[in-house]
Amino acid sequence: VTGLPAGPFLCWALLGFVCLSGIAVEVKVPTEPLSVPVGKTAELSCSYSTSVGDNFALEWSFVQPGKPISASHPILYFTNGHLYPTGSKAERASLLQNPPTRGVATLRLTDVRPSDTGTYLCHVNNPPDFYTNGLGLINLTVLVPPSNPLCTQNGPTFVGGSTELRCYSSEGAPKPVYNWVRLGSSPTPSPGSMVQDEVSGQLILTNLSLTSSGTYRCVATNQMGSSSCELTLSVTDSSKGRVAGTLIGVLLGVLLLSVAAFCLIRFQKERKKKPKETYGGSELREDATAPGIFEQSSMKVDSSKGLLERSPSTSTVTTTKSKLPMVV
């Protein structure tokens, strides 16, 4: 179609569809990201220009870092003259001006938390103003001081070797930087043997010596503050360690031999203390009479009769001859 006026006031009929005249909705938000300390109140500015009508609607929504705009969740919306907070932030979210019908739609969020970090969408919808999407985006960062870092050590600590010290804070926004320092009056290791990464919190110590022993402190810092942890490093001489290990092995061997000798001697003593074994009835005794040999009779003298009596235990018969005087 030719000869029709162009611009936002364009109005024509085409293929049965009617385009109503109106002006474009213009939403303005800060171009710079907003940073607010944890626990404070954030005010996310949003203004707009349009002719507010009966169909005017406003919505604030939130999307977490790294996710698309389509994944946003509503915080509050205004429609038909009423304000409706919604979602997990409903109790902390409000509008600077309510109702937001005078061109200001600033969002106020109290007691901000680390989970509030992300992108906020201010969306104004005012049919029949369809010429723009009426959308403004604001990035909010909740500032959090570094939490107490954890200091760890990994690797051998022998003379001439290398070891690694690590430092990490689980919380902190923006992400903290790390700096390792040596405490005390001991000489600081040479620059070539001490290399650190401020982003990862890693400290590498090479060519260790006995003077490398000492206490090291890691300081985590961001614009909200700093916190630290300490670690004590003990460097040992591996050659002395081998000598000590050999000596300990010898001592253990001597101890084991001593214990074995003591047990053997005690066993011998206990064996000597045992009583002799008693022979049973079926065993052969040393004083037994050999078979086929008669036992000799045991005689008893009867002092009153003057006779010799055989022991009742004998079975042989002995004839005793008495001597009588002969008569001539």
Side-chain angles (χ1 to χ4, degrees), residues 155-177:
T157 55
F158 299 131
V159 171
S162 300
T163 192
E164 175 189 29
L165 307 185
R166 283 191 172 273
C167 178
Y168 175 72
S169 293
S170 59
E171 296 180 358
K175 188 177 180 180
V177 295

Side-chain angles (χ1 to χ4, degrees), residues 162-311:
S162 300
T163 192
E164 175 189 29
L165 307 185
R166 283 191 172 273
C167 178
Y168 175 72
S169 293
S170 59
E171 296 180 358
K175 188 177 180 180
V177 295
Y178 304 94
N179 183 40
W180 284 93
V181 294
R182 172 81 174 274
L183 301 182
S185 58
S186 302
T188 302
S190 60
S193 63
M194 183 175 177
V195 180
Q196 65 175 318
D197 187 340
E198 294 184 347
V199 176
S200 66
Q202 181 187 52
L203 173 67
I204 298 177
L205 297 173
T206 59
N207 193 22
L208 293 172
S209 64
L210 294 178
T211 59
S212 301
S213 300
T215 302
Y216 293 78
R217 173 182 293 170
C218 172
V219 181
T221 308
N222 66 8
Q223 66 189 76
M224 289 295 294
S226 62
S227 58
S228 64
C229 62
E230 296 180 0
L231 183 146
T232 299
L233 182 68
S234 298
V235 180
T236 58
D237 192 338
S238 58
S239 60
K240 294 182 179 179
R242 287 193 295 269
V243 172
T246 302
L247 180 60
I248 292 174
V250 172
L251 292 176
L252 288 176
V254 172
L255 179 61
L256 290 176
L257 290 176
S258 301
V259 172
F262 173 77
C263 293
L264 181 61
I265 293 173
R266 186 171 182 179
F267 174 75
Q268 293 294 340
K269 290 182 178 179
E270 293 292 335
R271 186 176 181 184
K272 290 180 180 180
K273 291 181 180 179
K274 290 183 178 180
K276 294 182 178 180
E277 296 181 355
T278 303
Y279 292 90
S282 61
E283 295 179 349
L284 180 62
R285 297 180 56 180
E286 293 180 357
D287 57 348
T289 304
I293 300 175
F294 291 103
E295 294 180 345
Q296 294 182 355
S297 301
S298 59
M299 305 296 293
K300 291 185 179 179
V301 178
D302 190 335
S303 58
S304 61
K305 295 181 179 181
L307 298 177
L308 297 177
E309 295 181 357
R310 176 171 296 277
S311 173

Side-chain angles (χ1 to χ4, degrees), residues 119-184:
T119 301
Y120 290 78
L121 291 71
C122 177
H123 188 196
V124 176
N125 186 20
N126 188 35
D129 295 347
F130 295 114
Y131 299 107
T132 64
N133 57 7
L135 182 64
L137 306 179
I138 304 176
N139 291 321
L140 172 66
T141 299
V142 178
L143 304 178
V144 181
S147 60
N148 292 330
L150 175 65
C151 289
T152 58
Q153 183 267 328
N154 184 30
T157 55
F158 299 131
V159 171
S162 300
T163 192
E164 175 189 29
L165 307 185
R166 283 191 172 273
C167 178
Y168 175 72
S169 293
S170 59
E171 296 180 358
K175 188 177 180 180
V177 295
Y178 304 94
N179 183 40
W180 284 93
V181 294
R182 172 81 174 274
L183 301 182

Side-chain angles (χ1 to χ4, degrees), residues 2 35 70 112 138 214 311:
T2 60
S35 298
S70 58
V112 293
I138 304 176
S311 173

